[in-house]
Each structure stands twice: as structure tokens, then as C-alpha cells.
């Protein structure tokens, strides 16, 4: 085995050293070459390629600085957008993660001397929201992507529509309650004392021929006290039962209308996002390789409703994925699931049965105000197994 062989200990050690970050003072940004020691950097500075790059840079140094500044800004903002989204974060945390990559653009080759100057420049240009605190400068990325703006507008429109539906439901219930109170006031009978102006006047009751009379009554137009009492009791019972049936019918109709309105609202309460924490999902994209394809993970955090941080069950790796790259997991009957969409969204349930032909399932709601309700025909994509 020769000294310059690929598998010699020295060659392996050199390759291991070249992978990590090296000292900044031995890095040539213009040539984008990293040297491992002072002697190597000195030899590089005396090389023909470096001298040629110096001649090119001396002709228009501002052009080189503008190029490096633009690359540094684009890479920094891309890392901030992809890694932290629109969250407020310390600028030094983002910068340390940025410089951890070996092929990054060094700040000493840009137009900004310090990270504070670069942070202030981002605030002046309107690329980020910046604020100074006793702990340092914090930045927050401003997402101006048309797709993101469209999603935010749809979310605001949906929220406003839900508020309008709630107000309409509240007004409808108030109207039904008001009508019920008015109906009770109208049906309530008013009793007055039976009186006569002169004591000499006689009080006579004209009844139909079918009215029963007492055996001791002497005149056909008169009525005994026992028959009068029976007739009055019978009339009171009939009027009381009639009023009860009317009131029961009115209450039932109002309740039915409210229930129908609630059911219609639940059917229409669907969203285009379904991610929830603590559910088990399956990765369906092949862009991450066979290592993660068709593998299961647990959603640990939901970002902007459409993106989730998923921890893989097998390897423990954490991945940031869009919901289009994931699908729900349907467990065996008897297991607990979470409803992800529709009127029962966010409620835990127990899976009772699965209809493979219709791609639907039957669940029993276990939490929330509708606990104990049995829901049939819920689609596969609207439920997922709980971790």
C-alpha cells in the first residue's frame, strides 16, 4: 500500500478534518477555499489562481462585494423562513445556525461589518420586523409569498363567516325564546270574580239539551250544583290539556329547528387544513428517500396550520413536513382516534367499525359537549390514530 493511497490513516484523517468547520482566518472568500493551517493559507495566497482572482477583484471590487452581500442576504432569509417561519427569534440564534454550514458566505466579505448592522438593515428594508431588547436584537420574518397571503385571507374570511353564523344562531335562539314567552303570556287565562250589580237579579246558565241534570231539579232551565261542578271541572281539564299540547308542539318545533340549524352548520364547518398535535401520520412523499417513505411518525407541533414537525417512531428523527406529504392513520376498531375536520373537529372518539367499500368509519364521540353521540359515515381523512 503506497503512501498516497486512499485508505491510508493519513488520507482518512485529512478527509475527516476537511468535513468540519475550520478557522476563519485561513479561509479565502474570494477563491472560496478553506485552508487547514497557516502554511497552507500562505501557499494559497502565493498561488497563481489566487493572484488571478486578485487582479479580477481589483478591477471592480464593488461588484464582488455586492455579489457576496446578495448571496449572504438570500441564504440568511431563506434559512429564517424555512427554519423559523414567522416566529420572533433572536438574530444570533439564526446566525449561529447559518454559519454552521461549511460553504456559507462569511460576513467579512459583505457590506455589513456586524450582525447588528445587518439586522438594522433588514428592518429598514422591510424584510423583517426587528426590535431591540436587553437580551439583544430579535427578528421576525415577513412572509410576502402570494400563496401565504391567500391562505391568510381565506382564514380571516372563514373566521368572519363562523362569527356571522354564531351571531345568526344566537339571534335565532333569542327570537324563539321571545316567541315562547309571548305565547305563554297569551295562553295564560285571566280569572275574574263572578259578581252582579243587584242582589235581586237571578243568575241563570243556559246549557245544551245533552247536558246532564240533577234528579231533584224542578225546572228544565235550571242546573243542580253537582252537575255544574262536574261540567266546570271537565272544561278546565280539556282546556288545560289543549294548552299543554299546544305548548309542547311549539317547543318541539323550535327545538327541531335549532337542531337542524346546528347539524347544517356542522356539515359545512370544514377547513382545508387538518393537522393536530399528538396524532400519528404516515409520510407519503418519496422526496425524502426510502428511509422515510411509508413510515409513521407523531405530530409534535403544528406551524401555520399547514406544516407540522413530525417525530419518526422508528428512528426518532424530527422532520418539518407539509400536510400534502402526509396522510392519516386508521387504527383497528376499539382504538382511540381524533376527529380532524368537520363539526366534531378536535374531539376524541372511539373507532367502532370501518366500511372499506365507502372508505368511511363509525365513531363514538368521547369528549366535548356532544359526548356519547354516535357518528356514522365519517371519512378516513377526517380521523387519525392518537399517539
Amino acid at each position: 500500500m503506497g503512501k498516497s493511497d486512499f485508505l491510508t490513516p493519513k488520507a482518512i484523517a485529512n478527509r475527516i478534518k476537511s468535513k468540519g468547520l475550520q478557522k476563519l482566518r485561513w479561509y479565502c472568500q474570494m477563491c472560496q477555499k478553506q485552508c487547514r493551517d497557516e502554511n497552507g493559507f500562505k501557499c494559497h495566497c502565493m498561488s497563481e489562481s489566487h493572484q488571478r482572482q486578485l487582479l479580477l477583484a481589483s478591477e471592480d471590487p464593488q461588484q464582488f462585494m455586492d455579489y457576496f452581500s446578495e448571496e449572504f442576504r438570500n441564504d440568511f432569509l431563506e434559512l429564517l423562513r424555512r427554519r423559523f417561519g414567522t416566529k420572533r427569534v433572536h438574530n444570533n440564534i439564526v446566525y449561529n445556525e447559518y454559519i454552521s454550514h461549511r460553504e456559507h458566505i462569511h460576513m467579512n466579505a459583505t457590506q455589513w461589518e456586524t450582525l447588528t448592522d445587518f439586522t438594522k438593515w433588514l428592518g429598514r428594508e422591510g424584510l423583517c420586523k426587528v426590535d431591540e431588547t436587553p437580551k439583544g436584537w430579535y427578528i421576525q420574518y415577513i412572509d410576502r409569498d402570494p400563496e401565504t397571503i391567500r391562505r391568510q385571507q381565506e382564514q380571516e374570511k372563514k373566521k368572519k363567516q363562523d362569527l356571522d353564523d354564531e351571531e345568526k344562531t344566537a339571534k335565532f335562539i333569542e327570537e324563539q325564546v321571545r316567541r315562547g314567552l309571548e305565547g305563554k303570556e297569551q295562553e295564560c287565562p285571566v280569572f275574574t270574580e263572578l259578581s252582579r250589580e243587584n242582589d235581586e237579579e237571578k243568575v241563570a246558565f243556559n246549557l245544551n239539551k245533552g247536558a246532564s241534570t240533577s234528579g231533584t231539579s224542578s225546572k228544565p232551565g235550571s242546573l243542580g250544583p253537582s252537575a255544574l261542578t262536574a261540567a266546570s271541572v271537565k272544561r278546565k281539564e280539556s282546556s288545560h290539556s289543549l294548552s299543554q299540547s299546544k305548548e309542547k308542539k311549539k317547543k318541539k318545533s323550535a327545538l327541531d329547528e335549532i337542531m337542524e340549524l346546528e347539524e347544517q352548520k356542522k356539515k359545512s364547518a370544514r377547513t382545508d387544513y387538518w393537522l393536530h398535535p399528538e396524532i400519528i401520520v404516515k409520510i407519503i412523499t418519496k422526496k425524502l428517500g426510502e428511509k422515510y417513505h411509508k413510515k409513521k411518525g407523531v405530530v409534535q407541533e403544528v406551524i401555520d396550520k399547514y406544516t407540522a414537525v413530525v417525530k419518526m417512531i422508528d428512528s426518532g428523527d424530527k422532520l418539518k413536513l407539509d400536510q400534502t406529504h402526509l396522510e392519516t392513520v386508521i387504527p383497528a376498531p376499539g382504538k382511540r382516534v381524533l376527529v380532524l375536520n368537520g363539526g366534531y373537529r378536535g374531539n376524541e372518539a372511539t373507532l367502532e367499525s370501518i366500511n372499506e367499500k365507502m372508505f368511511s368509519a363509525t365513531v363514538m364521540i368521547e369528549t366535548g359537549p356532544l359526548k356519547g353521540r354516535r357518528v356514522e359515515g365519517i371519512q378516513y381523512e377526517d380521523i387519525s390514530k392518537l399517539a
Side-chain angles (χ1 to χ4, degrees):
M1 185 181 293
K3 292 184 179 180
S4 61
D5 196 278
F6 183 77
L7 296 178
T8 58
K10 186 175 182 180
I12 295 174
N14 289 338
R15 287 198 300 274
I16 292 174
K17 290 178 182 178
S18 64
K19 285 184 179 180
L21 293 174
Q22 306 294 323
K23 290 186 178 181
L24 181 60
R25 62 176 178 166
W26 296 334
Y27 182 80
C28 179
Q29 182 68 69
M30 187 170 56
C31 300
Q32 297 183 1
K33 180 174 177 59
Q34 175 71 61
C35 301
R36 287 202 296 270
D37 52 24
E38 186 176 359
N39 184 45
F41 185 72
K42 181 180 178 181
C43 293
H44 169 72
C45 293
M46 295 172 62
S47 64
E48 182 181 355
S49 60
H50 180 75
Q51 297 296 329
R52 188 165 51 249
Q53 285 292 105
L54 281 179
L55 291 175
L56 292 175
S58 62
E59 294 178 359
D60 192 358
Q62 189 64 36
Q63 180 182 359
F64 277 82
M65 183 173 289
D66 292 342
Y67 170 76
F68 289 133
S69 299
E70 184 179 359
E71 288 292 320
F72 177 82
R73 181 200 64 190
N74 293 339
D75 294 343
F76 188 91
L77 290 177
E78 177 63 21
L79 174 65
L80 178 63
R81 182 192 67 82
R82 186 181 67 252
R83 177 68 176 82
F84 300 98
T86 56
K87 291 183 178 180
R88 181 174 173 269
V89 63
H90 200 286
N91 62 348
N92 203 33
I93 295 177
V94 185
Y95 182 72
N96 287 333
E97 188 166 342
Y98 171 75
I99 64 177
S100 64
H101 298 280
R102 187 167 181 268
E103 301 297 332
H104 71 276
I105 303 296
H106 293 276
M107 183 173 284
N108 57 3
T110 64
Q111 65 184 18
W112 304 285
E113 295 181 358
T114 61
L115 180 60
T116 302
D117 294 339
F118 177 63
T119 303
K120 293 179 180 178
W121 182 86
L122 290 176
R124 289 194 301 268
E125 294 295 324
L127 299 174
C128 296
K129 295 179 182 178
V130 300
D131 59 308
E132 185 179 10
T133 65
K135 295 183 179 180
W137 287 86
Y138 283 82
I139 57 178
Q140 184 178 359
Y141 181 71
I142 301 176
D143 197 346
R144 303 186 187 278
D145 186 19
E147 182 67 18
T148 305
I149 296 174
R150 184 186 65 81
R151 286 182 177 180
Q152 291 177 353
Q153 291 177 351
E154 290 181 354
Q155 292 174 7
E156 292 177 357
K157 184 178 179 181
K158 181 66 177 176
K159 189 181 295 183
K160 184 178 179 182
Q161 184 178 357
D162 293 341
L163 291 176
D164 294 341
D165 293 341
E166 290 178 1
E167 291 177 358
K168 290 179 181 179
T169 305
K171 289 182 180 179
F172 177 77
I173 294 174
E174 290 178 0
E175 181 67 19
Q176 294 297 328
V177 172
R178 185 182 62 80
R179 290 181 180 178
L181 293 176
E182 290 180 354
K184 286 183 179 180
E185 292 179 357
Q186 291 177 0
E187 293 176 1
C188 184
V190 179
F191 298 99
T192 59
E193 184 180 357
L194 181 62
S195 61
R196 54 186 179 183
E197 296 180 357
N198 300 323
D199 295 337
E200 297 179 357
E201 292 183 358
K202 296 181 180 179
V203 178
F205 296 92
N206 295 325
L207 302 176
N208 295 330
K209 293 181 179 180
S212 60
T213 58
S214 173
T216 57
S217 61
S218 58
K219 296 182 180 180
S222 61
L223 187 64
S226 60
L228 180 60
T229 304
S232 61
V233 170
K234 187 175 181 181
R235 287 184 180 181
K236 286 182 181 179
E237 290 178 354
S238 61
S239 62
H240 182 65
S241 61
L242 182 61
S243 64
Q244 282 185 344
S245 61
K246 287 182 178 180
E247 185 177 355
K248 185 176 180 181
K249 186 177 181 181
K250 184 180 293 185
K251 287 183 179 178
K252 185 177 179 181
S253 63
L255 183 61
D256 290 342
E257 291 178 3
I258 295 173
M259 292 298 293
E260 290 176 1
L261 185 62
E262 288 293 331
E263 290 296 333
Q264 292 176 1
K265 182 180 177 182
K266 288 185 180 300
K267 291 180 180 179
S268 62
R270 296 188 61 84
T271 59
D272 58 346
Y273 54 89
W274 53 269
L275 291 172
H276 278 74
E278 302 301 328
I279 63 171
I280 298 178
V281 293
K282 183 186 292 184
I283 298 177
I284 58 176
T285 181
K286 296 183 178 179
K287 295 181 179 179
L288 302 176
E290 294 297 330
K291 179 181 178 181
Y292 300 110
H293 183 54
K294 294 295 183 180
K295 301 296 183 181
K296 297 179 182 179
V298 180
V299 176
Q300 290 194 330
E301 182 184 358
V302 178
I303 304 172
D304 297 334
K305 297 183 180 180
Y306 298 92
T307 309
V309 177
V310 181
K311 183 177 181 181
M312 305 306 297
I313 296 177
D314 296 338
S315 61
D317 298 340
K318 291 185 178 180
L319 305 175
K320 187 177 180 182
L321 300 169
D322 191 82
Q323 69 174 12
T324 55
H325 298 155
L326 302 170
E327 69 175 5
T328 59
V329 175
I330 306 301
K335 300 292 185 180
R336 294 180 65 83
V337 296
L338 185 69
V339 182
L340 308 177
N341 217 332
Y344 305 97
R345 180 186 181 94
N347 292 333
E348 297 181 5
T350 301
L351 182 63
E352 291 191 347
S353 61
I354 299 174
N355 188 348
E356 296 181 356
K357 294 182 179 180
M358 301 299 295
F359 300 100
S360 62
T362 301
V363 299
M364 179 69 72
I365 304 298
E366 299 292 344
T367 60
L370 300 176
K371 180 179 180 181
R373 175 169 294 188
R374 188 170 183 267
V375 183
E376 299 179 354
I378 190 166
Q379 299 299 315
Y380 282 172
E381 60 268 18
D382 291 344
I383 56 174
S384 188
K385 183 180 179 181
L386 276 169

